[in-house]
Amino acid sequence: MSSRPSILLVDDNAEILEILSLLLENEGYEVGTARDGAEALRRLHDGCHPGLIILDLSMPVMDGWAFRRAQMDDPALRDIPTIIYSASSTQRGLDALRVAGAFEKGGDFGALLSLVADLCGSARTPASTGTLRHR
């Protein structure tokens, strides 16, 4: 089992998952992915224990809003810090989700990485073999 900080990326866009996975792995984080909120909840209930969740709001099956509400209602999951990373620039309603931060897709990756390091711990060692990729 890896001692690197782990992150679960939840987004239906394969390109975004790939870009963020590579970016975070290059920073030394262990990265898992889910294509929608329902898949993310299954993974979390099946034993995935990330130190941080990065969540899109607009997805099929179960969107980020519904996922976050389910996460907050589950005592085993509610304390996992969550960052919103979405194409929607609206901030309306985000206060109810009690997230650690919110970023618009394509925005400042440096600010995102800085918040990830604050919440999940720095993992400045470059990714090496044995990286777990959950697709």
Side-chain angles (χ1 to χ4, degrees), residues 56-98:
D56 184 20
L57 292 176
S58 197
M59 297 176 287
V61 183
M62 175 187 261
D63 67 17
W65 298 93
F67 167 83
R68 183 64 178 143
R69 285 190 297 273
Q71 180 193 6
M72 290 187 306
D73 288 342
D74 188 327
L77 305 177
R78 74 171 54 127
D79 293 330
I80 302 171
T82 301
I83 296 172
I84 299 300
Y85 187 73
S86 186
S88 173
S89 62
T90 181
Q91 295 293 312
R92 194 175 77 208
L94 286 182
D95 288 342
L97 296 181
R98 300 190 311 262

Side-chain angles (χ1 to χ4, degrees), residues 20 23-24 27 29 83 85 103-104 106-118 124:
L20 282 181
L23 178 71
L24 292 165
E27 291 294 315
Y29 296 101
I83 296 172
Y85 187 73
F103 294 88
E104 189 170 345
D108 183 358
F109 285 128
L112 175 63
L113 290 175
S114 178
L115 182 55
V116 168
D118 288 347
R124 285 312 215 152

Side-chain angles (χ1 to χ4, degrees), residues 121-132:
S122 181
R124 285 312 215 152
T125 305
S128 61
T129 60
T131 299
L132 269 174

Side-chain angles (χ1 to χ4, degrees), residues 31-71:
V31 178
T33 62
R35 295 282 191 141
D36 59 64
E39 181 183 348
L41 283 176
R42 278 193 304 277
R43 299 213 30 179
L44 292 165
H45 289 137
D46 287 345
C48 176
H49 299 290
L52 176 67
I53 296 169
I54 298 178
L55 177 66
D56 184 20
L57 292 176
S58 197
M59 297 176 287
V61 183
M62 175 187 261
D63 67 17
W65 298 93
F67 167 83
R68 183 64 178 143
R69 285 190 297 273
Q71 180 193 6

